[in-house]
Amino acid sequence: MVSMRVSLGRLELRNPVLVASGTFGYVREMAGFVRLARLGGVIPKTVTARPRAGNPTPRTVETASGLLNAIGLDNDGIDHFRAHHLPYLRTVGTAVVANIAGEDEDQFVRMAADLGEEPGIAAVELNLSCPNVSHGLDLGVDPSAVSRVVSRCREACPHPIIAKLTPNVTDVTKVARAAYEAGADAVSLINTVVGLAVDWRRRRPVLANDVGGLSGPAIKPIALRMVWQVRRAVPGLPIIGIGGICSADDAMEFLLAGASAVQVGTATFADPTLADRLVDELPAKLTVAGVADVNEFIGTLRSNKG
C-alpha cells in the first residue's frame, strides 16, 4: 500500500487529488459522476461578496488544446453560499476548500472572516488572480498587495489560507514568496493565462469580453515551469499544481516538479470522472517510481544542469 496523505501547511488531505474552482460547480452537480468522499478535497466555484451575473456571452471558446473563458465569476454571492450551499458541502465526506474573490482588499478580509465562522470548511482559497474581473488581476500581480491580503485574511480567519496566483507576471516567485512570508499555508499554481481568440471574418474578438483566461493542456508546460521555480525559490511553501492535468501521468509530473497536491480543472468538462480515477491510478504510478509514500516523490525533479 502506498501512503497518499499530504500536508499543505495546516491543511491535511487524505490524498493529493482535488478539483479546481470554477470547473466543478457547487459540487452538488457532480455527485452523480464522482465518489466525492474519495477525493482529497473539493473546491466549489468562486464566491464573491454580492451575487454576480458574470460577463455577457459568448464567454467560452475552445482553442487548440485548451479552453478560453471569460465567465466573470458568475455566482450567487457569499450569503447564499453560506445559507444554501455550505449545508450540503458539509455532507460530502472530504475536505471543502471555499474559494473567494474580492473587488478590493477589504472585501477579501470580510469574506474570509465570514467563512471563519463556519464549521465544515477545511481551508479558504483566495482567488487573487482572476483575469476577467475588475481589480482581480491587478491585485494578484503586486507582491505587496498579495502580502497584505494574505496577512489580513490569516488574522481574520482561523482556517488555513491558500493563495491562488496568476501566471501573468514576470517573476511568479516574488509573488509566491510574498504570500508565504505573509502566512499563506499554500499557493495554487497556476490560474489561467490571459489570451485572445479572433474571428477574422467579423474582425472582432470571439469573446464578448475580448480577452479571457486560457486553461487546459495548452498551459501545462507553463504551470509545470512555475511550480518548479517556486519549489526551488521558496522551498518551505506547499504548492497545489493546476494546469492541463488530464491523466495520472500529468499529475505525477506536477508532484515531481514540487506540487504537494493537484487540482483537476478543465479536463472535468470532457471527463467528469477523471479526479475519481486519479485516486485509483496514482498509487500504481508511485509504486513504479519506487516509493511507498507520495511525500518521498514530491519535489524530487533534478535539473539536467546539475
Side-chain angles (χ1 to χ4, degrees):
M1 295 292 291
V2 175
S3 174
M4 296 286 282
R5 296 195 67 86
V6 295
S7 299
L8 303 169
R10 294 174 292 163
L11 177 61
E12 301 281 340
L13 301 176
R14 64 166 59 98
N15 64 64
V17 181
L18 303 102
V19 290
S21 177
T23 63
F24 218 69
Y26 289 110
V27 179
R28 188 192 307 265
E29 302 93 315
M30 305 302 292
F33 302 96
V34 180
R35 292 168 290 180
L36 299 171
R38 301 183 72 247
L39 302 181
V42 293
I43 308 178
K45 67 193 300 183
T46 298
V47 178
T48 55
R50 292 179 292 272
R52 290 180 59 93
N55 291 324
T57 58
R59 53 191 192 181
T60 61
V61 59
E62 289 189 55
T63 66
S65 299
L67 178 71
L68 197 65
N69 91 84
I71 303 297
L73 301 184
D74 175 0
N75 78 101
D76 299 328
I78 193 167
D79 291 339
H80 189 83
F81 177 78
R82 295 174 71 183
H84 296 278
H85 296 298
L86 264 180
Y88 169 76
L89 289 167
R90 294 188 182 104
T91 72
V92 298
T94 191
V96 175
V97 179
N99 180 293
I100 60 174
E103 295 179 3
D104 54 37
E105 294 177 22
D106 291 338
Q107 273 195 1
F108 270 106
V109 176
R110 286 195 297 271
M111 286 190 288
D114 287 343
L115 293 178
E117 299 173 357
E118 297 286 356
I121 293 178
V124 175
E125 185 177 62
L126 309 178
N127 187 348
L128 300 168
S129 51
C130 182
N132 308 309
V133 178
S134 177
H135 306 303
L137 184 58
D138 294 340
L139 181 67
V141 302
D142 181 354
S144 297
V146 168
S147 176
R148 289 193 303 271
V149 172
V150 169
S151 176
R152 294 179 63 193
C153 287
R154 171 105 189 210
E155 291 179 5
C157 178
H159 303 314
I161 299 295
I162 301 167
K164 188 171 185 177
L165 304 183
T166 178
N168 302 299
V169 292
T170 302
D171 186 353
V172 72
T173 65
K174 292 181 179 179
V175 185
R177 182 177 289 107
Y180 179 53
E181 292 177 351
D185 290 87
V187 294
S188 295
L189 290 171
I190 57 176
N191 208 328
T192 55
V193 179
V194 176
L196 174 71
V198 170
D199 183 340
W200 67 264
R201 294 174 179 83
R202 294 176 52 244
R203 302 191 185 189
R204 299 281 186 179
V206 174
L207 297 175
N209 191 61
D210 291 345
V211 299
L214 180 64
S215 61
I219 71 168
K220 193 181 84 167
I222 299 171
L224 283 169
R225 184 259 297 178
M226 290 192 170
V227 166
W228 194 37
Q229 285 180 322
V230 170
R231 173 75 178 201
R232 298 175 78 185
V234 195
L237 175 61
I239 301 167
I240 304 173
I242 320 168
I245 295 170
C246 298
S247 68
D249 287 322
D250 292 333
M252 289 288 285
E253 291 174 18
F254 274 91
L255 296 173
L256 183 64
S260 295
V262 297
Q263 292 180 21
V264 178
T266 299
T268 297
F269 298 137
D271 181 3
T273 68
L274 177 60
D276 196 342
R277 287 192 292 104
L278 291 187
V279 176
D280 289 329
E281 295 173 6
L282 280 175
K285 299 288 185 182
L286 290 163
T287 298
V288 171
V291 299
D293 186 321
V294 64
N295 293 284
E296 299 172 12
F297 183 74
I298 290 169
T300 57
L301 180 65
R302 299 187 302 271
S303 171
N304 288 323
K305 298 188 293 185

